[in-house]
Each structure stands twice: as structure tokens, then as C-alpha cells.
């Protein structure tokens, strides 16, 4: 292939990638632009992408005139607890699925965890609500933490299992010869080398609980325990929607996720591909 053809295909490839990138980023860009528009420009019959007179009015209104900071704090608290619990459970479960595969019942347990991911959460909404009500957990963080952790652990477990599968048994055998116990082996030998997978699994758990709407909307009815996504929904009124505040709160809720991806992108890619190639 000549250099001109190579250059043409390279330019075409980058053009297509830029087109897809803009297509994916356009909703977020429109959200930012709408948040910066005055109310009269938002409600115009001919919306434009250009902001004639940018304003921070909607951001100020969200922060000072609503419970947004309370919702934000609640989401941070619940998401961090869910992430820690999910990692603790998935590390041990992933190790068991990776190393004890010959034991009776391990494969059945693995299949059961896989099948659990195929059940839509909405099918379990009423049973879970009745269970939480009987336990007195409605309007508490515990109800959200239990529900989010239950749906997050299976995939985190398979992510950790994939990485543990790529670690040779010789490393563990050498540690056991030196007198290292099984639990000590996991924390002192395996976890330090599995940092990318742990970060990838932790980010999945955090985002799963950060973005969840259904359980947060049903289990929580008071502002003191309400999380971010159901809180943002409150800007949509019965007869009128405050689009400026809705977009501003959405931008503020997305920023932590964007910053997390920017600073942990390298670990995320390594963790998601860990265990995919062996030998």
C-alpha cells in the first residue's frame, strides 16, 4: 500500500473516530450549554447551541435554593460504603472461584452468580421493598447499601476472578512454603499486584450505586436520606420543569465521575483487560 493510501485511511479513521466522539459527547455538551443559558433562551422555540449571555444563575440556585448538597453527600456516603463492601466480598469470592474450581458446588455457585445478573432489578423491586419494610429499613442508608451491594458483587467477583486466574500458582506455593497463611497470602501477595483490577471493580461498584435511580426513588422518601439521582428528578415538576436547574444539577453530578475517569483511566484499562490474555 502506498504512503498516500495509508495517509488517506489514517485521516478517514481519525475523522470517523472524531465523529463518533462528538456524537457521544453531544448530550453532555448540550447539558452544559443549557445550564449556562438564561431561562428565556432555554424556553425559546428556536434553541441554539451558542449561549449569547452565559449565566451561573442555575448553578447558584441548585446549590443555595435546593437540597442538592445533601443529596450529593448522601450519594458519596452510600457509594463509598457499597464500593468497600463490594470489593471485600468480591476479592474473597473471586479468589475462591479461581483457586477452588475443582471443589463440588463451586461451578454451580459461579453459574448462579452469572444467572443473577440476568434478572432485571425491577422484578425484585416489590419483594425487596416489602423485605426492607418488614426489617424497618425504609428511609435508611442501609436499605440502599444492601440493595446496591447485592447487584454489584457478582460482576466485581468475575472481574477479580479473571485477574486471579492470570496469576501463576507458583507464586502462592512459594509464599505458603515460607509460612504465609491463605488470608495473609491474599492481602500481602495477590492484592498488591491486582491493584488495576481492584480499581476497575471499585469504579464499577461506585458508578453502579452513584447512578442508580429506581431503588433510591422507592426506598427513600425524605430529603435527609435521599440520594443524588432521585433528588435531581425533583426538579421536574408536575406542571412545569425547571430545565436550567435540572441541567445544572446534572452537570454537577457528572463532574466527579468525569474527574475519576480522567485520573484513573490507565488503571481502568489495565483492570478491564487483566486476565483476558494468558500464557
Amino acid at each position: 500500500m502506498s504512503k498516500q493510501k495509508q495517509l488517506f485511511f489514517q485521516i478517514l479513521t481519525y475523522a470517523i473516530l472524531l465523529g463518533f466522539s462528538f456524537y457521544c459527547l453531544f448530550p453532555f455538551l448540550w447539558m452544559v450549554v443549557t445550564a449556562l443559558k438564561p431561562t428565556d433562551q432555554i424556553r425559546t422555540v428556536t434553541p441554539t447551541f451558542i449561549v449569547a449571555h452565559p449565566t451561573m444563575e442555575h448553578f447558584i440556585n441548585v446549590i443555595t435554593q435546593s437540597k442538592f448538597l445533601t443529596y450529593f453527600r448522601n450519594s458519596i456516603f452510600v457509594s463509598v460504603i457499597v464500593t468497600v463492601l463490594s470489593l471485600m466480598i468480591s476479592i474473597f469470592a473471586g479468589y475462591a472461584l479461581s483457586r477452588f474450581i475443582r471443589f463440588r458446588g463451586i461451578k454451580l455457585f459461579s453459574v448462579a452468580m452469572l444467572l443473577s445478573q440476568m434478572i432485571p432489578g425491577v422484578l425484585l423491586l416489590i419483594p425487596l421493598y416489602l423485605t426492607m419494610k418488614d426489617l424497618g429499613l425504609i428511609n435508611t442508608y442501609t436499605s440502599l447499601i444492601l440493595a446496591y451491594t447485592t447487584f454489584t458483587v457478582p460482576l466485581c467477583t468475575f472481574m477479580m476472578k479473571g485477574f486471579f486466574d492470570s496469576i501463576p500458582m507458583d507464586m502462592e506455593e512459594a509464599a505458603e512454603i515460607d509460612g504465609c497463611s491463605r488470608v495473609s497470602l491474599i492481602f500481602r501477595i495477590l492484592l498488591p499486584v491486582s491493584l488495576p483490577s481492584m480499581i476497575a471493580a471499585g469504579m464499577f461498584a461506585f458508578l453502579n450505586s452513584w447512578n442508580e435511580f429506581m431503588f433510591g426513588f422507592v426506598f427513600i422518601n425524605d430529603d435527609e436520606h435521599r440520594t443524588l439521582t432521585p433528588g435531581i428528578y425533583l426538579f421536574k415538576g408536575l406542571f412545569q420543569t425547571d430545565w436550567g436547574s435540572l441541567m445544572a444539577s446534572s452537570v454537577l453530578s457528572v463532574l466527579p465521575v468525569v474527574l475519576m475517569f480522567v485520573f484513573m483511566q490507565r488503571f481502568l484499562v489495565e483492570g478491564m483487560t487483566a486476565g483476558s490474555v494468558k500464557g
Side-chain angles (χ1 to χ4, degrees), residues 234-250:
L234 297 179
F235 287 105
K236 183 181 182 301
L238 182 62
F239 301 104
Q240 186 177 2
T241 300
D242 187 356
W243 289 108
S245 297
L246 183 65
M247 294 297 104
S249 59
S250 300

Side-chain angles (χ1 to χ4, degrees), residues 151-164:
F151 286 93
T152 302
V153 164
L155 186 54
C156 290
T157 298
F158 284 111
M159 292 173 66
M160 296 305 300
K161 176 187 178 298
F163 185 81
F164 289 145

Side-chain angles (χ1 to χ4, degrees), residues 170-222:
D170 297 341
M171 182 184 298
E172 297 185 29
E173 293 173 355
E176 289 178 353
I177 292 174
D178 292 337
C180 192
S181 64
R182 184 75 67 175
V183 176
S184 180
L185 184 149
I186 293 175
F187 283 98
R188 298 178 61 182
I189 305 298
L190 298 182
L191 292 189
V193 299
S194 63
L195 183 61
S197 288
M198 287 181 57
I199 291 179
M203 290 182 66
F204 167 77
F206 184 88
L207 293 178
N208 185 68
S209 55
W210 182 266
N211 295 325
E212 206 282 328
F213 171 81
M214 182 177 62
F215 292 117
F217 184 76
V218 174
F219 291 169
I220 305 298
N221 299 317
D222 67 311

Side-chain angles (χ1 to χ4, degrees), residues 5-16:
K5 288 185 177 180
Q6 289 181 350
L7 180 61
F8 171 76
F9 283 112
Q10 187 176 12
I11 294 175
L12 180 63
T13 300
Y14 279 108
I16 294 175

Side-chain angles (χ1 to χ4, degrees), residues 14-260:
Y14 279 108
I16 294 175
L17 292 176
L18 286 174
F20 276 114
S21 299
F22 180 76
Y23 176 79
C24 295
L25 290 174
F26 180 79
F28 178 75
L29 296 176
W30 186 263
M31 183 171 64
V32 175
V33 168
T34 305
L36 294 174
K37 287 181 179 180
T39 304
D40 58 341
Q41 289 189 22
I42 295 176
R43 299 186 180 278
T44 181
V45 294
T46 57
T48 62
F49 197 76
I50 300 175
V51 184
H53 304 286
T55 179
M56 299 297 292
E57 174 188 357
H58 303 301
F59 290 96
I60 296 174
N61 178 59
V62 166
I63 294 176
T64 61
Q65 304 298 325
S66 71
K67 294 281 188 176
F68 178 84
L69 294 180
T70 301
Y71 306 151
F72 191 92
R73 181 197 62 199
N74 294 339
S75 287
I76 287 288
F77 176 77
V78 172
S79 299
V80 169
I81 296 298
V82 170
T83 301
V84 173
L85 289 177
S86 299
L87 283 178
M88 291 177 60
I89 298 173
S90 60
I91 286 171
F92 290 102
Y95 181 82
L97 293 180
S98 176
R99 294 298 190 255
F100 303 143
I101 194 64
R102 296 181 180 179
F103 285 79
R104 183 180 302 177
I106 291 294
K107 289 185 179 180
L108 180 62
F109 179 75
S110 178
V111 173
M113 291 187 66
L114 184 62
L115 291 176
S116 69
Q117 295 296 98
M118 302 179 184
I119 302 175
V122 67
L123 294 180
L124 302 176
L125 182 59
I126 294 178
L128 284 176
Y129 178 83
L130 294 177
T131 301
M132 298 299 177
K133 182 180 179 181
D134 292 339
L135 295 175
L137 297 179
I138 298 298
N139 287 328
T140 64
Y141 298 126
T142 306
S143 61
L144 299 180
I145 292 172
L146 291 176
Y148 295 167
T149 304
T150 301
F151 286 93
T152 302
V153 164
L155 186 54
C156 290
T157 298
F158 284 111
M159 292 173 66
M160 296 305 300
K161 176 187 178 298
F163 185 81
F164 289 145
D165 287 342
S166 65
I167 299 178
M169 288 292 297
D170 297 341
M171 182 184 298
E172 297 185 29
E173 293 173 355
E176 289 178 353
I177 292 174
D178 292 337
C180 192
S181 64
R182 184 75 67 175
V183 176
S184 180
L185 184 149
I186 293 175
F187 283 98
R188 298 178 61 182
I189 305 298
L190 298 182
L191 292 189
V193 299
S194 63
L195 183 61
S197 288
M198 287 181 57
I199 291 179
M203 290 182 66
F204 167 77
F206 184 88
L207 293 178
N208 185 68
S209 55
W210 182 266
N211 295 325
E212 206 282 328
F213 171 81
M214 182 177 62
F215 292 117
F217 184 76
V218 174
F219 291 169
I220 305 298
N221 299 317
D222 67 311
D223 284 337
E224 295 304 319
H225 297 89
R226 199 185 307 276
T227 51
L228 198 55
T229 45
I232 293 175
Y233 181 77
L234 297 179
F235 287 105
K236 183 181 182 301
L238 182 62
F239 301 104
Q240 186 177 2
T241 300
D242 187 356
W243 289 108
S245 297
L246 183 65
M247 294 297 104
S249 59
S250 300
V251 171
L252 293 175
S253 67
V254 169
L255 284 180
V257 178
V258 173
L259 293 176
M260 186 168 59

